[in-house]
Amino acid sequence: MPIIILISFFLNFTNVLSQSPESHKDKYGRRFSGQISRINSAAKLIRVKTDFANIKFFNHKDRVDFWNESYPDKRCPTFVEGRSNDYLLLRVSQYEECIKRVHFTTGSYLHFDSPDLARTVSIVNDLLHVLLKKRLAMEAKKERHHKELSGHVEKVDAVNKRFEILRQKLEIEWQKELAALEEDKAKSFTEFKNAEARLNEIDVKLEAYRLEDHNLKLDRWSLDPALYQKK
């Protein structure tokens, strides 16, 4: 669909929107038709209304020849003084001669041709081809990055699943290690209690079987140990 839109844009851009049958043969976009909407004879200016698409490429002082369809060989030169989206303001330097040659007045429907516009359109056309190539390249680049972005979620999901499996395995190993530590703790506690009980038993027996090494006790009546007596 983007390619179709692009081709349509290119055709609309380069074609001349004119009612003249000759304009359909105009590959340089220089011929068009229009209707005189106003004439200022004192200033030798005429204002022409046209739906010519390439009107936006006119420059100040560009030459524009016009003629009446009934007399295609009788043409009159003019020069662009200004333009808008729908109107051209043309200066007719040979005003009196053009009136006699073309016989135009307000409301006259005329045909126009501009060699200066042809050169401008040719330059624009070359530029357009370059821009179209750049656009196609940029469109391909955009699509490539779009696919990368579209696949980002899937890549994230894949990474999440892979690490979820690793996390589960680690969780299992963790629980195993904790269980082994708890088992070692319980075993050590049991052995500690057994050792403590055996130690208490031994202490009881030692107390029961304790022997006195002598029956006499020292009578410490004096501060001088040499005077102690056993009783």
Side-chain angles (χ1 to χ4, degrees), residues 164-205:
E164 177 63 21
I165 294 174
L166 294 176
R167 189 191 66 79
Q168 292 176 358
K169 290 182 178 179
L170 183 61
E171 181 77 20
I172 293 173
E173 292 297 325
W174 181 28
Q175 295 300 329
K176 284 183 180 180
E177 291 294 330
L178 289 177
L181 289 175
E182 288 296 327
E183 185 177 348
D184 291 343
K185 176 185 176 182
K187 183 177 179 181
S188 297
F189 182 76
T190 301
E191 291 179 355
F192 168 76
K193 286 299 183 182
N194 289 338
E196 186 178 45
R198 292 290 297 166
L199 181 61
N200 290 334
E201 292 177 0
I202 292 172
D203 287 342
V204 170
K205 289 181 180 180

Side-chain angles (χ1 to χ4, degrees), residues 208-220:
Y209 295 106
R210 183 167 62 87
L211 295 175
E212 294 290 342
D213 56 350
H214 51 79
N215 292 326
L216 298 177
K217 295 181 179 180
L218 292 176
D219 182 10
R220 298 179 181 179

Side-chain angles (χ1 to χ4, degrees), residues 66-75 101-103:
F66 71 89
W67 67 93
N68 193 307
E69 187 176 13
S70 302
Y71 310 99
D73 296 332
K74 296 181 179 181
R75 302 190 176 192
R101 190 185 310 165
V102 180
H103 305 291

Side-chain angles (χ1 to χ4, degrees), residues 34-97:
Q35 188 174 28
I36 296 179
S37 62
R38 186 175 180 180
I39 297 177
N40 186 334
S41 57
K44 298 182 179 181
L45 295 174
I46 61 173
R47 188 175 66 184
V48 179
K49 187 178 188 308
T50 178
D51 58 357
F52 183 47
N54 289 349
I55 189 176
K56 58 188 174 182
F57 298 118
F58 272 117
N59 298 308
H60 186 247
K61 298 299 182 180
D62 278 354
R63 175 170 174 166
V64 181
D65 297 336
F66 71 89
W67 67 93
N68 193 307
E69 187 176 13
S70 302
Y71 310 99
D73 296 332
K74 296 181 179 181
R75 302 190 176 192
C76 184
T78 65
F79 298 91
V80 175
E81 288 293 328
R83 63 172 173 80
S84 64
N85 292 334
D86 302 313
Y87 291 92
L88 265 181
L89 183 62
L90 303 175
R91 179 175 297 278
V92 187
S93 56
Q94 303 173 8
Y95 185 78
E96 290 77 9
E97 294 181 16

